[in-house]
Amino acid sequence: MTSSDTAPVAIISRNDDSRLGTPLLVFLHGYGSNEQDLMGLSRYLPEEFTYLSARAPLQAGPGFCWFPLTQEIDYSSEAVSHSVVALWQLLEPLSKQHSSITLLGFSQGMAMATSLARYQREAITAVVGLSGFAVEPRDLEIFDDEKLQQNPIPLFWGRDLADPVITQDKIAFTLGWVSKHAELTSETYPQIGHSVSMDELEDVDAFLKKVVLGQE
């Protein structure tokens, strides 16, 4: 399915009337990957959800990215803003068809997930960030962090403290940002590096059941 020439391509776990009224979870892949990458995680997560996986709009080697990165994983605010708005163009029509929208982002996908929550707080129920970071605003007018301070987003953040990819300045900013803007569930997983583990997926499953589905 596609939304427009500027919005990301996406695949969805069910595209018939059975998805209407269900909670929607949106997978946002990392740099250089594609929409197929995270979809397999859905088998370990609650069956009540409909799962959608979006492809980032920019080419990055054999895959795609949400915004260009340098070796220091720096980025331009303009590119972040463009991708966030494009992603919302894809999700806004779906938001009217589902009971809630939750975002799950890996690596750069976590930057996108937290950024979309900063852009459309009322539309996003919760965020799951895996081995990623939040971007610094840098005059990004689309972010409304004040609204998030008033209504913090439930956020699960899982990572390895020794992640070899996400730089310490990005982690430091994210630690400060989540303290003011999120209801944080933070878990660390030694030895996973820049990846996802089964223990982590079990914790994500529990988080989604509690925060989104209201199950104890």
Side-chain angles (χ1 to χ4, degrees), residues 6-159:
T6 58
V9 173
I11 54 176
I12 197 164
S13 61
R14 44 184 170 181
N15 200 20
D16 55 25
D17 288 347
S18 68
R19 71 177 174 82
L20 299 178
T22 62
L24 181 69
L25 187 141
V26 181
F27 291 117
L28 303 171
H29 65 75
Y31 186 93
S33 189
N34 60 55
E35 72 277 15
Q36 303 286 343
D37 184 40
L38 299 178
M39 200 63 168
L41 301 184
S42 62
R43 70 173 67 101
Y44 305 108
L45 302 177
E47 62 183 6
E48 290 91 342
F49 284 83
T50 294
Y51 293 92
L52 180 144
S53 189
R55 179 200 299 172
L58 304 176
Q59 195 78 37
F64 301 86
C65 69
W66 299 101
F67 46 87
L69 296 177
T70 68
Q71 288 186 342
E72 294 78 29
I73 68 166
D74 207 353
Y75 48 84
S76 80
S77 296
E78 182 180 357
V80 174
S81 179
H82 180 82
S83 279
V84 169
V85 172
L87 179 60
W88 181 240
Q89 289 175 351
L90 173 72
L91 297 181
E92 184 177 20
L94 294 173
S95 69
K96 300 174 176 64
Q97 301 170 4
H98 292 269
S99 59
S100 64
I101 295 182
T102 299
L103 308 173
L104 187 156
F106 174 77
S107 194
Q108 192 185 66
M110 178 180 170
M112 279 297 295
T114 50
S115 293
L116 186 58
R118 298 160 85 173
Y119 175 49
Q120 295 288 337
R121 173 62 187 96
E122 289 88 353
I124 308 302
T125 297
V127 169
V128 174
L130 308 178
S131 300
F133 62 99
V135 303
E136 294 189 51
R138 300 183 187 175
D139 302 321
L140 269 175
E141 295 181 0
I142 67 168
F143 284 179
D144 192 347
D145 277 2
E146 183 176 333
K147 186 172 290 184
L148 273 173
Q149 283 186 300
Q150 298 168 0
N151 185 21
I153 188 82
L155 170 65
F156 178 95
W157 185 17
R159 62 193 179 101

Side-chain angles (χ1 to χ4, degrees), residues 105-107 110-111 114 127-134 153-161 163 166-179 182-189 192 200 203-204 207:
F106 174 77
S107 194
M110 178 180 170
T114 50
V127 169
V128 174
L130 308 178
S131 300
F133 62 99
I153 188 82
L155 170 65
F156 178 95
W157 185 17
R159 62 193 179 101
D160 184 343
L161 294 175
D163 187 321
I166 308 302
T167 55
Q168 286 305 307
D169 62 315
K170 300 294 187 293
I171 294 297
F173 172 80
T174 305
L175 286 168
W177 181 83
V178 298
S179 69
E183 293 179 358
L184 181 63
T185 300
S186 178
E187 300 290 349
T188 58
Y189 305 90
I192 70 168
E200 189 173 24
D203 290 340
V204 171
F207 173 82

